């Protein structure tokens, strides 16, 4: 599958119904999403944001733990170093936080989108945000520090409330309290 062909086949306006598609596995695609959020196809970074946005809309993680680009007719495995999406900005209101992802999607921190602490490739426990179809986003370092400025400690855990739901940002190791 060529990226340009995929781009013209799909509608770039929103997230397609991936949960309704069950195409046959067609092989591997030389696409890597780095831990820093860069999308690299055949060794070169994808420079067209609209193409990366479209690819992110047809990406899902399946029960085998692998990531796939899925269309109604094809399913291609790709490589992901950490989490495939990156949360880059946030807005606060009286009730909580709205998070912006790198490709324009916005999520509300709350019951449906609750931060969880998960190890990164180096084994460090960092917040990850469930998004959709088994995908998660890491918090960009700048956003992480911005949220920390509003955080509070509850016992050994640092976090904040959003829509009445505790959102963990970190925790002390045992014996550090």
């Amino acid at each position: 599958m060529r990226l340009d062909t995929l781009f013209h086949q799909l509608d770039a306006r929103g997230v397609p119904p991936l949960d309704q598609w069950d195409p046959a596995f067609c092989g591997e695609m030389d696409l890597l999403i780095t831990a820093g959020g860069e999308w690299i196809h055949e060794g070169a970074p994808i420079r067209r944001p609209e193409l990366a946005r479209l690819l992110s809309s047809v990406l899902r993680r399946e029960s085998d733990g692998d990531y796939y680009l899925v269309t109604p007719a094809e399913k291609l495995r790709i490589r992901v170093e950490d989490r495939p999406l990156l949360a880059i900005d946030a807005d606060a209101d009286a009730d909580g936080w709205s998070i912006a992802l790198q490709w324009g999607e916005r999520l509300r921190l709350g019951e449906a989108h609750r931060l969880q602490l998960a190890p990164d490739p180096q084994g460090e426990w960092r917040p990850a945000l469930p998004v959709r179809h088994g995908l998660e986003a890491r918090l960009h370092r700048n956003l992480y520090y911005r949220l920390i400025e509003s955080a509070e400690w509850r016992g050994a855990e640092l976090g904040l409330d959003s829509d009445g739901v505790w959102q963990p940002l970190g925790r002390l190791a045992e014996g550090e309290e």
Side-chain angles (χ1 to χ4, degrees):
M1 174 189 301
R2 293 186 38 83
L3 289 182
D4 287 334
T5 303
L6 178 66
F7 187 72
H8 292 295
Q9 285 177 352
L10 296 171
D11 182 353
R13 288 177 287 179
V15 177
L18 299 186
D19 54 335
Q20 298 172 20
W21 297 348
D22 191 24
F25 176 69
C26 297
E28 311 279 332
M29 177 184 236
D30 186 6
L31 178 65
L32 170 67
I33 303 173
T34 70
E38 189 171 29
W39 292 53
I40 300 174
H41 180 250
E42 297 179 348
I46 294 177
R47 299 282 182 220
R48 293 170 43 199
E50 62 276 1
L51 178 57
R53 182 178 304 112
L54 174 68
L55 291 173
S56 75
S57 76
V58 296
L59 180 62
R60 73 180 181 203
R61 187 174 193 193
E62 296 193 353
S63 60
D64 63 4
D66 287 338
Y67 294 89
Y68 297 89
L69 295 176
V70 181
T71 71
E74 295 180 286
K75 178 166 83 170
L76 297 162
R77 183 180 298 119
I78 67 164
R79 294 174 296 137
V80 176
E81 288 182 340
D82 183 21
R83 301 306 192 269
L85 303 173
L86 193 60
I88 59 168
D89 199 9
D91 294 310
D93 60 32
D95 297 318
W97 293 85
S98 294
I99 302 292
L101 303 182
Q102 86 237 58
W103 307 121
E105 191 171 351
R106 294 194 70 80
L107 305 171
R108 181 74 178 181
L109 286 183
E111 191 63 43
H113 299 286
R114 178 184 292 213
L115 291 173
Q116 55 199 17
L117 298 176
D120 66 13
Q122 290 76 39
E124 298 290 326
W125 288 81
R126 298 178 38 218
L129 176 63
V131 177
R132 59 180 148 66
H133 303 300
L135 303 180
E136 294 178 330
R138 278 290 184 202
L139 303 182
H140 185 278
R141 183 177 306 273
N142 293 344
L143 175 58
Y144 175 69
Y145 287 126
R146 185 168 157 220
L147 293 176
I148 291 244
E149 289 175 358
S150 299
E152 62 184 74
W153 287 99
R154 287 192 183 167
E157 194 167 76
L158 180 67
L160 46 84
D161 278 310
S162 183
D163 288 349
V165 177
W166 179 250
Q167 306 288 333
L169 293 168
R171 106 177 22 104
L172 294 174
E174 267 189 56
E176 289 187 30
E177 288 184 56

